[in-house]
């Protein structure tokens, strides 16, 4: 058996029983005619098809077995009747009516050929000449020649054509993962059944969209990350990628970065400018405040020290902010000026004299009251340089009580403070320096007098307080309650007052003052003060001028004559009463005072001296004369007394 | 307060003051209730422990 021709793909072999050979059957179309209307094709991919469009492959040989008498079958380059434009390249028997046309399609054959009946235009069809093997570049909108494709690339539309490109979303190299590493574990894509499963942790959701082939990881709020956050002044040991470190020294935040070939802490924040300081808590207590904050202040009331709560990079503690100095003596500047309502509490002014034995005013504003006892009140001068009583007072008051035993006997001194409104309804503090010849108890008593004239309320003696004096100078303090004057009635003479009484001797008839009892002895006082409230402050220092001016409202004395001593006049008519001059008081006095004239020596015709009038701001002297002529007085003085 | 004598002195028929001797001193006491000497004199007069002497009227010429 011999094979005479290699079979083409798609062809068949037929066994010839006569010669015992197999022959290759060419691709063959059997063609008849349907009248003059069309060729009818069978075989070669056709089946009684009228004028079918044929697709012939270059290099292949086809047989057109024509049996159409009267209808010459031509293969042409241009469709149309007649014999022109016949395409004979590789063609045999082109134009037969009955017979075979063998057509070996040339590789340079036109892409389009036609078959026609040379006599009938309706008997025609198209032949597409096609290649044996197509490249994708044969497509008109594909260009794989300008840029040759490389392995792994795909065609992508670049806006005008399909061209080779990497298989990812953008430009750059293509990355293909075959393994996914998590920590030290690796999931390898080494099997068709390998599956990577994502599990959402806290505060995270994972959603998949099968339509868009998208997996979405989303935070559902809060942190939830596993990154370590360390606040320290040193870098954390063995950090992991993504860890955060707050550097407390400089206030900077660092991120631990691992780029595959190096690891380092990278500063992710730059400290901003220092913000304004907020409010700071300040605690005054004798114990340490709990839960303090940096910068908080604490005044320790036990030690009088100020502390600040200090937080540094590695510790926190209370740090003393100040170092206290030695305690100084209390000054007077901090207390209220004019707080001492006693006038001449320092016993600086003694206009009436320096020794007294009977009831009456003694040192200015201080009144001695004696009944049945023998008492002497004197001005005493401190020893120079003494330090027993502070502030270097010059004088002190001494009261010596020698005989007393009667039930009605008493000795006390007092100061009447003008206006009963003073300290009404208040607690007052009376303080004084004092001593006695032996331990002696005295009583201090408030007394409110509503004055005279009209129908004033009855005077009120308040509860007294006792003080036991020692034999050395000591400062004593008593608190007194001064009654309210609400509902009381003042007299019309404007002479109401609050008095503070210092009882040294009080017989059994003296009512509330009985507790003092009959008592003799020597009592000495200095720097007496009364002020509002229940605490004593230091004695309020005043200048001598200040005290003297204060005293003048109640008592003053001076000369009545011209030039200080002489009061000379001339009377031509010899009147029995003649003008002797006017005297103005040194300052306004509390009330129209009682005038006492003393030491007037009469000269000339003068026979007597008296007070002509008293206006309250001054007075006039009158002089009795025996006849016309010069008369005068000399050396005269006056006392003006407006005490309560 | 020891008052040994006291009388009212007038000027041209008008009460002017009280001339008194108090604690051994001649004093001129105004006729005002706010004066403690006047008040004491009046208290003693009222109490009957002091009697005011005859009023003295001084007439200016």
């Amino acid at each position: 058996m011999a094979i005479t021709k290699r079979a083409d793909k798609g062809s068949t072999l037929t066994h010839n029983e006569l010669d015992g050979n197999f022959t290759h059957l060419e691709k063959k179309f059997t063609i008849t005619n349907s009248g003059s209307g069309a060729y009818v094709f069978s075989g070669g991919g056709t089946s009684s098809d009228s004028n079918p469009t044929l697709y012939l492959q270059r290099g292949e040989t086809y047989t057109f077995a024509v049996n159409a008498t009267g209808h010459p079958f031509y293969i042409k380059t241009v469709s149309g009747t007649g014999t022109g434009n016949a395409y004979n390249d590789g063609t045999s028997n082109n134009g037969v009516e009955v017979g075979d046309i063998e057509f070996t399609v040339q590789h340079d054959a036109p892409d389009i050929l036609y078959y026609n009946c040379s006599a009938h235009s309706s008997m025609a069809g198209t032949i597409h000449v096609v290649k044996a093997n197509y490249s994708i570049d044969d497509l008109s909108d594909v260009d794989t020649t300008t840029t040759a494709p490389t392995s792994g690339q795909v065609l992508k539309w670049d806006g005008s054509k399909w061209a080779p490109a990497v298989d990812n979303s953008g430009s750059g190299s293509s990355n293909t993962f075959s393994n996914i590493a998590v920590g030290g574990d690796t999931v390898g894509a080494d099997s068709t059944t390998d599956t990577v499963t994502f599990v959402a942790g806290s505060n995270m959701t994972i959603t998949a969209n099968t339509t868009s082939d998208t997996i979405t990881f989303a935070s559902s709020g809060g942190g939830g990350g596993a990154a370590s956050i360390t606040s320290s002044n040193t870098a954390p040991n063995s950090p992991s990628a993504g860890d955060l470190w707050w550097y407390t020294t400089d206030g900077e935040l660092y991120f631990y970065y691992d780029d595959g070939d190096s690891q380092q802490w990278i500063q992710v924040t730059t400290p901003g400018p220092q913000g304004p300081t907020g409010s700071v808590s300040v605690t005054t207590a004798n114990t340490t405040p709990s839960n303090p904050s940096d910068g908080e202040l604490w005044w320790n009331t036990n030690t009088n020290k100020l502390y600040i709560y200090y937080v540094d990079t590695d510790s926190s503690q209370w740090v003393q902010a100040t170092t206290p100095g030695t305690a100084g003596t209390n000054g007077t500047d901090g207390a209220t000026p004019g707080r001492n309502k006693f006038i001449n509490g320092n016993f600086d002014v003694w206009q009436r004299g320096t020794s007294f034995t009977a009831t009456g005013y003694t040192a200015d504003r201080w009144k001695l009251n004696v009944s049945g006892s023998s008492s002497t009140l004197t001005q005493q001068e401190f020893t120079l340089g003494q330090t027993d009583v502070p502030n270097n007072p010059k004088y002190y008051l001494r009261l010596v009580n020698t005989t007393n035993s009667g039930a009605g006997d008493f000795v006390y001194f007092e100061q009447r403070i003008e206006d009963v409104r003073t300290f009404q309804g208040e607690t007052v503090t009376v303080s004084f320096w004092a001593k006695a010849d032996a331990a002696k108890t005295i009583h201090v008593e408030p007394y409110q007098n509503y004055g005279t004239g009209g129908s004033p309320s009855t005077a009120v003696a308040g509860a007294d307080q006792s003080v036991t004096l020692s034999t050395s100078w000591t400062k004593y303090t008593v608190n007194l309650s001064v009654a309210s004057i609400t509902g009381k009635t003042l007299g019309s003479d404007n002479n109401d007052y609050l008095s503070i009484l210092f009882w040294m001797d009080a017989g059994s008839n003296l009512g509330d003052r009985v507790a003092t009892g009959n008592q003799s002895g020597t009592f000495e006082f200095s720097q007496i003060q009364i002020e509002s409230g229940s605490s004593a402050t230091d004695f309020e220092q005043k200048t001598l001028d200040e005290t003297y001016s204060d005293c003048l409202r109640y008592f003053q004395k001076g000369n009545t004559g011209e030039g200080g001593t002489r009061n000379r006049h001339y009377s031509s008519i010899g009147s029995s009463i003649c003008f002797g001059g006017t005297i103005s008081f040194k300052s306004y006095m509390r009330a129209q005072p009682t005038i006492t004239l003393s030491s007037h020596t009469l000269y000339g015709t003068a026979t007597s001296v008296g007070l002509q009038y008293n206006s309250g701001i001054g007075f006039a002297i009158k002089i009795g004369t025996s006849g016309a002529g010069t008369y005068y007085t000399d050396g005269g003085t006056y006392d003006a007394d407006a005490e309560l | 307060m020891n008052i040994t004598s006291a009388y009212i002195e007038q000027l041209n028929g008008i009460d002017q003051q009280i001339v008194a001797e108090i604690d051994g001193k001649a004093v001129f006491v105004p006729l005002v209730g706010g004066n403690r000497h006047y008040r004491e004199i009046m208290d003693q007069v009222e109490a009957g422990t002091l009697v005011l002497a005859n009023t003295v009227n001084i007439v200016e010429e």
Side-chain angles (χ1 to χ4, degrees), chain A residues 495 594-595 611 622 641, chain B residues 9 17 28 34 36-37 39:
Chain A
N495 57 348
T594 296
I595 302 295
L611 192 72
K622 64 183 179 184
D641 189 334
Chain B
E9 184 178 81
Q17 58 193 345
F28 303 90
R36 64 187 180 100
H37 296 105
R39 195 168 64 242

Side-chain angles (χ1 to χ4, degrees), chain A residues 323-360:
Chain A
T323 301
T326 55
T329 56
N330 293 331
T332 58
D333 292 343
T336 304
R339 62 189 179 280
N340 186 7
K341 298 303 180 185
F342 284 142
I343 296 173
N344 198 26
N346 205 37
F347 301 112
D348 290 320
V349 181
W350 298 73
Q351 294 187 84
R352 295 178 179 85
T354 58
S355 180
F356 308 87
T357 57
T359 294

Side-chain angles (χ1 to χ4, degrees), chain A residues 525-579:
Chain A
F525 296 86
S526 176
Q527 297 188 350
I528 305 179
Q529 179 162 279
I530 182 172
E531 59 194 306
S532 179
S534 56
S535 299
T537 64
D538 284 353
F539 182 75
E540 182 181 7
Q541 298 293 321
K542 289 188 175 181
T543 67
L544 182 58
D545 280 348
E546 288 174 331
T547 301
Y548 180 66
S549 296
D550 291 342
C551 293
L552 291 179
R553 175 173 172 79
Y554 304 94
F555 183 86
Q556 55 185 259
K557 62 192 310 176
N559 298 315
T560 58
E562 294 176 345
T565 58
R566 178 160 295 187
N567 195 342
R568 182 187 296 270
H569 301 278
Y570 177 80
S571 174
S572 60
I573 60 174
S575 172
S576 60
I577 299 298
C578 296
F579 174 70

Side-chain angles (χ1 to χ4, degrees), chain A residues 7-81:
Chain A
D8 293 316
K9 183 177 181 181
S11 63
T12 59
L13 293 175
T14 302
H15 183 253
N16 188 335
E17 294 182 356
L18 293 179
D19 56 15
N21 293 328
F22 284 90
T23 56
H24 175 241
L25 296 182
E26 304 291 345
K27 292 179 180 176
K28 184 177 182 180
F29 301 101
T30 300
I31 305 168
T32 60
N33 67 294
S34 176
S36 300
Y39 288 115
V40 178
F41 282 67
S42 293
T46 62
S47 180
S48 299
D49 296 327
S50 297
N51 297 335
T53 297
L54 302 179
Y55 293 86
L56 304 184
Q57 187 174 317
R58 299 179 192 277
E60 295 292 337
T61 299
Y62 297 87
T63 299
F64 296 87
V66 182
N67 185 12
T69 302
H71 303 286
F73 185 92
Y74 282 92
I75 296 174
K76 296 186 172 184
T77 59
V78 177
S79 182
T81 56

Side-chain angles (χ1 to χ4, degrees), chain A residues 41 52-57 64 73-76 103 105 110-116 125-130:
Chain A
F41 282 67
T53 297
L54 302 179
Y55 293 86
L56 304 184
Q57 187 174 317
F64 296 87
F73 185 92
Y74 282 92
I75 296 174
K76 296 186 172 184
F103 177 36
V105 183
D111 290 340
I112 300 294
L113 295 172
Y114 305 94
Y115 61 88
N116 272 114
T126 301
I127 300 172
H128 290 277
V129 177
V130 298

Side-chain angles (χ1 to χ4, degrees), chain A residues 317-330:
Chain A
Q317 59 274 307
W318 286 103
V319 179
Q320 186 176 337
T322 59
T323 301
T326 55
T329 56
N330 293 331

Side-chain angles (χ1 to χ4, degrees), chain A residues 361 452 493 495 573 575 577 590-597 609-614 622 639 641 643-644, chain B residues 1 9 11 16-17 22-23 25-39 58-61:
Chain A
Y361 279 87
T452 59
D493 291 334
N495 57 348
I573 60 174
S575 172
I577 299 298
R590 183 194 65 81
Q592 208 168 336
T594 296
I595 302 295
T596 302
L597 300 175
V609 63
L611 192 72
Q612 186 165 4
Y613 66 85
N614 176 2
K622 64 183 179 184
D639 291 349
D641 189 334
E643 272 291 0
L644 287 162
Chain B
M1 190 179 295
E9 184 178 81
L11 181 63
Q16 190 73 14
Q17 58 193 345
I22 301 176
D23 297 331
K25 294 182 178 179
V27 298
F28 303 90
V29 179
L31 305 177
V32 293
N35 182 288
R36 64 187 180 100
H37 296 105
Y38 174 78
R39 195 168 64 242
I58 298 174
V59 178
E60 289 182 313
E61 297 180 359

Side-chain angles (χ1 to χ4, degrees), chain A residues 377-461:
Chain A
L377 186 154
T378 58
Q379 177 198 75
Q380 299 294 317
E381 187 168 351
F382 279 105
T383 303
L384 292 177
Q386 66 83 27
T387 57
D388 295 333
V389 179
N391 304 314
N392 298 309
K394 184 176 183 180
Y395 301 118
Y396 61 93
L397 179 151
R398 172 181 289 169
L399 194 151
V400 178
N401 193 24
T402 53
T403 59
N404 52 83
S405 59
D409 291 355
F410 60 81
V411 174
Y412 68 90
F413 67 89
E414 65 174 319
Q415 182 165 141
R416 297 175 175 181
I417 301 169
E418 184 178 350
D419 196 343
V420 75
R421 297 174 181 82
T422 306
F423 295 134
Q424 69 87 19
E426 292 185 42
T427 294
V428 299
T429 298
V430 176
S431 58
F432 52 91
W433 288 82
K435 68 175 184 176
D437 57 336
K440 300 286 174 65
T441 298
I442 67 171
H443 283 74
V444 184
E445 175 189 24
Y447 183 85
Q448 292 168 294
N449 188 296
Y450 291 91
T452 59
S455 301
S457 297
T458 302
V460 174

